[in-house]
Amino acid sequence: MAGYSPGEQPSPGEQVIKLNTNENPFPPSPRVVEAIRRITPEALRRYPSSMADEFRVVAARVHGVPPESILAGNGSDDILQIALRTYCGPGDVLVCPAPTYSLYPVLAELADVRLIPIPWEPGWRLPTEALLGARGRAIFFANPNSPSGTWVPIADIEALAEGTEALVLVDEAYVDFADDNCLSLLRRRRNILITRTFSKGYALAGLRFGYAIGDPAVIANMAKVKDSYNCDVVAIAAACAALDDVEYARGNWRVIRAERERLFVELERRGFAVIPSQANFLLVTTPDAAHAGWLYSALKVRGVLVRFFDKPTLDNKLRISVGAPQENDRLLAALDASLDRDPSPIARSTTT
Amino acid sequence: MAGYSPGEQPSPGEQVIKLNTNENPFPPSPRVVEAIRRITPEALRRYPSSMADEFRVVAARVHGVPPESILAGNGSDDILQIALRTYCGPGDVLVCPAPTYSLYPVLAELADVRLIPIPWEPGWRLPTEALLGARGRAIFFANPNSPSGTWVPIADIEALAEGTEALVLVDEAYVDFADDNCLSLLRRRRNILITRTFSKGYALAGLRFGYAIGDPAVIANMAKVKDSYNCDVVAIAAACAALDDVEYARGNWRVIRAERERLFVELERRGFAVIPSQANFLLVTTPDAAHAGWLYSALKVRGVLVRFFDKPTLDNKLRISVGAPQENDRLLAALDASLDRDPSPIARSTTT
């Protein structure tokens, strides 16, 4: 098997505009940095709380749920794996709209779970009937979706969950940049599990901390499957501080959303087909559709990293993370330079 | 299923002599604390190196192996799970001497792997013939072993690995307190995988960082199974600093080994049967063998936590971590108070 292909991570010293893995362009809250500096040698020496109790209390307060509804993990990737293994044994079926987060098929393969992909309906609408018809043990999708950035209305998710006893996992990794979220559904539907991460909205991708919010019975089952000590004391303290200072994060979300709308307009003006996004990235179809891979390389040469998925249905597209204003300016300048001045590979090959 | 039962973790404020989960009684190196304080907001914001490249370089230098022989994980528990899933699919067989680290059966059950336990030979010698005869895909055991603290000579491990194509995983979580280790075998046997942790020898149980050392081909296979970003930037930086300052850690290992020998003598003097240990703990049979569970409780009431495994073959024993000198004094005083002054439960039950 091939394993998951994460986006490129340039080495610390490299000067590059990094718009390929949807990191937050702004630093984390100063309170997070302070919380990390306050970690004592004694806290490092001892095993952490197995269930990240301190974080559960903070998250429960912020989200208005009981602490027993919260499960912390080593990044939301850890949570996704735990949920999959809790609900799907070898040979069982996981159903996903396609395309969605490219980690799900990898996790399924590792767990000998059969993944049935169901193409999105036109306009990236949820293919509810087909998802239900596949009769899986669980249905996973990201909302906002990756790599499209598109949004499934909450009512559609409720209808899906009402039509099945399977676990409906809504991966809200990008929800901090959206207009709404699924929290209100938890009271009505026990088979909905929400996953969240601190990697995007809270600018803590380096820390690996995510969590699930769901019915206490679901969370208790997942707790048996997770590693005994899956979260470290530093990440727990940082996540608590970050969630406690949500106002700081919210200020950055507003800037990113505004920049997303500016980029949308600027990219359309340059001939890209842009999908309206509720996330901190845009999926764009390049003006000359065949050359997305070439444009990716042309941008990279100019010091701007974006994401190119060399896969059917995505190979004429680029996924571009929304950066800070100056980074987005640099992206647009690099796009202009690449599209105006460079001969296309086809032109080159016919002239040599 | 029941899941893994980690040892109790008292809340941060509780005043207790904690000798139940084999933490290091001394704080981590000041250089580790300094490395954590130096983490920049920019490092937190970005995804970490997927393979913990910085750590691989340091570990390779310290151990005299190529960086490609190192795989970092979120605690050695993460490494153990990755190794199991890499080598054993559903229905495959994992073989372990029994008893050994109690996590292995839990990991096996979670992965639908069949674990065949082979009792240790008298004197905790490796049951080589029976381990080979079970024909598993992998053989896992801890050396020094937990919960016994006993040591399998390197030559016996080499003979085991020579007799099979299966993966022989030697869990060296406690090796920093031992006289020897298996590193020298890696050059001769490609099917040996060593796992290490920073939780014990380096006093970083709170951080969750462990690693494997093995043949580059083995490591490459495991890399496909691991979470894409399984280690965070803080833990990577701390682990590098800890390994760079091995001299600091070594000083503490010397004290712990000396205290282990002192406790051995003192416990034998009090009528306990004590197994010679190469780890930072002792497995003792209580003077009145039936009452290990009661003695555990009597010590807990006196503010000393030790480990009681309520399982066949272990239910007349306690596992006691070696603490700092004053902690060990407190343990011995609490033992004296419990054994001399308290009526045994049987005495109590006959008088009421």
Side-chain angles (χ1 to χ4, degrees):
Chain A
M1 58 160 295
Y4 176 73
S5 302
E8 299 153 85
Q9 302 298 342
S11 21
E14 250 175 276
Q15 286 306 314
V16 59
I17 305 289
K18 192 169 178 304
L19 304 176
N20 67 332
T21 51
N22 302 337
E23 282 121 332
N24 197 311
F26 302 109
S29 158
R31 286 206 223 160
V32 169
V33 178
E34 189 46 44
I36 292 173
R37 298 211 166 125
R38 273 202 310 267
I39 295 289
T40 63
E42 178 64 11
L44 294 171
R45 188 183 71 80
R46 278 202 188 183
Y47 279 97
S49 151
S50 169
M51 291 294 287
D53 293 333
E54 190 185 346
F55 175 77
R56 288 180 114 184
V57 169
V58 174
R61 171 165 49 72
V62 169
H63 296 310
V65 298
E68 294 73 25
S69 282
I70 305 290
L71 185 81
N74 186 44
S76 64
D77 290 356
D78 184 31
I79 295 287
L80 294 170
Q81 174 171 222
I82 294 165
L84 181 68
R85 294 192 190 269
T86 304
Y87 283 85
C88 302
D92 286 344
V93 167
L94 168 70
V95 191
C96 298
T100 185
Y101 183 25
S102 57
L103 183 68
Y104 308 148
V106 177
L107 294 179
E109 189 180 349
L110 287 172
D112 284 303
V113 167
R114 201 174 127 227
L115 188 143
I116 299 185
I118 309 281
W120 291 92
E121 291 194 359
W124 297 87
R125 281 184 302 115
L126 200 64
T128 307
E129 292 309 310
L131 288 171
L132 294 173
R135 302 192 161 278
R137 291 285 188 106
I139 301 170
F140 280 22
F141 62 97
N143 198 40
N145 189 45
S146 175
S148 61
T150 47
W151 180 252
V152 173
I154 300 308
D156 295 1
I157 295 174
E158 183 162 21
L160 176 74
E162 271 168 8
T164 180
E165 294 298 310
L167 181 76
V168 175
L169 185 149
V170 186
D171 179 345
E172 292 195 341
Y174 298 102
V175 84
D176 297 322
F177 310 104
D179 297 331
D180 204 352
N181 65 61
C182 275
L183 273 174
S184 63
L185 296 183
L186 291 182
R187 277 178 221 162
R188 298 198 290 276
R189 296 299 322 173
R190 298 187 142 194
N191 59 333
I192 290 181
L193 185 77
I194 295 172
T195 64
R196 296 273 179 100
T197 176
F198 283 83
S199 297
K200 321 290 184 182
Y202 295 89
L204 290 171
L207 260 198
R208 321 308 309 125
F209 198 91
Y211 61 110
I213 320 170
D215 187 74
V218 171
I219 297 296
N221 281 334
M222 289 171 65
K224 294 179 191 169
V225 172
K226 78 175 191 67
D227 246 18
S228 21
Y229 301 106
N230 56 333
C231 298
D232 71 69
V233 285
V234 179
I236 292 171
C240 288
L243 213 49
D244 256 337
D245 197 11
V246 66
E247 279 314 313
Y248 168 89
R250 220 186 288 277
N252 292 333
W253 303 343
R254 272 192 291 265
V255 177
I256 292 163
R257 287 166 57 116
E259 282 294 300
R260 177 181 73 203
E261 300 318 311
R262 177 171 78 98
L263 271 186
F264 183 96
V265 171
E266 292 291 339
L267 290 164
E268 280 209 323
R269 215 156 58 82
R270 283 161 174 83
F272 290 84
V274 192
I275 301 172
S277 168
Q278 285 277 292
N280 67 336
F281 56 83
L282 293 164
L283 187 67
V284 303
T285 307
T286 50
D288 181 353
H291 294 160
W294 169 81
L295 185 54
Y296 155 81
S297 302
L299 290 172
K300 188 174 176 179
V301 165
R302 292 183 164 81
V304 179
L305 267 185
V306 300
R307 191 74 180 265
F308 171 59
F309 300 91
D310 198 0
K311 286 179 191 172
T313 83
L314 291 173
D315 55 5
N316 62 341
K317 296 182 172 60
L318 296 176
R319 193 190 67 185
I320 304 175
S321 309
V322 178
Q326 303 92 315
E327 292 177 309
N328 300 330
D329 291 344
R330 285 276 304 271
L331 163 76
L332 293 169
L335 277 174
D336 289 341
S338 304
L339 292 169
D340 290 337
R341 294 183 210 153
D342 284 46
S344 77
I346 287 166
R348 257 201 304 250
S349 66
T350 53
T351 55
T352 53
Chain B
M1 59 160 295
Y4 176 73
S5 301
E8 300 153 86
Q9 301 299 341
S11 22
E14 252 176 276
Q15 285 305 315
V16 60
I17 305 291
K18 191 167 180 305
L19 304 176
N20 67 330
T21 50
N22 301 339
E23 281 121 332
N24 196 311
F26 302 110
S29 158
R31 285 204 225 162
V32 169
V33 178
E34 189 46 44
I36 293 174
R37 297 213 166 123
R38 272 202 311 267
I39 296 288
T40 62
E42 178 63 11
L44 295 171
R45 187 182 73 78
R46 279 204 188 180
Y47 279 96
S49 150
S50 171
M51 291 294 287
D53 293 333
E54 192 186 344
F55 175 77
R56 289 180 112 183
V57 170
V58 174
R61 172 166 46 75
V62 169
H63 296 308
V65 297
E68 294 72 26
S69 282
I70 305 289
L71 185 80
N74 186 43
S76 64
D77 290 356
D78 183 31
I79 294 288
L80 293 170
Q81 177 173 220
I82 293 165
L84 181 67
R85 294 193 190 270
T86 305
Y87 282 86
C88 301
D92 285 346
V93 167
L94 168 70
V95 191
C96 298
T100 185
Y101 183 25
S102 56
L103 183 68
Y104 308 148
V106 177
L107 293 180
E109 190 179 349
L110 287 171
D112 284 305
V113 167
R114 200 173 130 229
L115 187 143
I116 299 185
I118 309 282
W120 290 93
E121 290 196 1
W124 299 87
R125 279 185 302 114
L126 199 65
T128 307
E129 291 309 310
L131 288 171
L132 294 174
R135 303 193 161 277
R137 291 286 190 105
I139 301 170
F140 280 22
F141 62 98
N143 197 40
N145 189 43
S146 175
S148 61
T150 47
W151 180 253
V152 172
I154 300 309
D156 296 2
I157 296 174
E158 182 162 21
L160 176 73
E162 270 169 8
T164 179
E165 293 299 307
L167 181 77
V168 174
L169 185 148
V170 186
D171 179 346
E172 292 195 341
Y174 299 102
V175 85
D176 297 322
F177 311 105
D179 298 330
D180 205 351
N181 65 60
C182 275
L183 273 173
S184 63
L185 296 183
L186 291 182
R187 275 178 225 164
R188 297 198 290 276
R189 296 299 319 171
R190 298 187 141 195
N191 60 333
I192 290 181
L193 185 76
I194 295 173
T195 65
R196 296 274 177 101
T197 175
F198 283 84
S199 297
K200 321 291 185 185
Y202 295 89
L204 290 172
L207 260 198
R208 323 306 309 124
F209 198 91
Y211 60 110
I213 320 169
D215 187 75
V218 170
I219 298 295
N221 282 333
M222 290 172 65
K224 293 179 190 168
V225 172
K226 79 175 191 69
D227 246 17
S228 20
Y229 301 107
N230 57 333
C231 298
D232 70 70
V233 284
V234 179
I236 293 170
C240 289
L243 214 50
D244 257 337
D245 196 11
V246 66
E247 279 314 313
Y248 168 91
R250 221 186 287 275
N252 291 332
W253 304 342
R254 273 192 290 265
V255 177
I256 292 164
R257 287 166 57 115
E259 282 294 300
R260 177 180 74 202
E261 301 317 311
R262 177 170 77 98
L263 270 186
F264 184 96
V265 172
E266 291 292 338
L267 289 165
E268 280 209 323
R269 216 158 57 83
R270 284 160 174 83
F272 289 83
V274 191
I275 301 172
S277 168
Q278 284 278 293
N280 66 337
F281 56 83
L282 293 164
L283 187 67
V284 304
T285 307
T286 50
D288 182 353
H291 294 160
W294 169 81
L295 185 55
Y296 156 80
S297 303
L299 290 172
K300 187 175 176 179
V301 166
R302 292 183 165 80
V304 179
L305 266 186
V306 300
R307 190 75 181 267
F308 172 58
F309 300 92
D310 199 359
K311 287 180 191 170
T313 82
L314 291 172
D315 56 6
N316 62 342
K317 295 182 172 60
L318 295 176
R319 193 191 66 185
I320 304 175
S321 310
V322 177
Q326 303 91 317
E327 292 177 310
N328 299 330
D329 291 342
R330 284 275 304 272
L331 163 76
L332 293 170
L335 277 174
D336 289 341
S338 304
L339 292 170
D340 290 339
R341 293 181 209 152
D342 286 46
S344 78
I346 287 165
R348 259 201 303 251
S349 67
T350 54
T351 55
T352 52

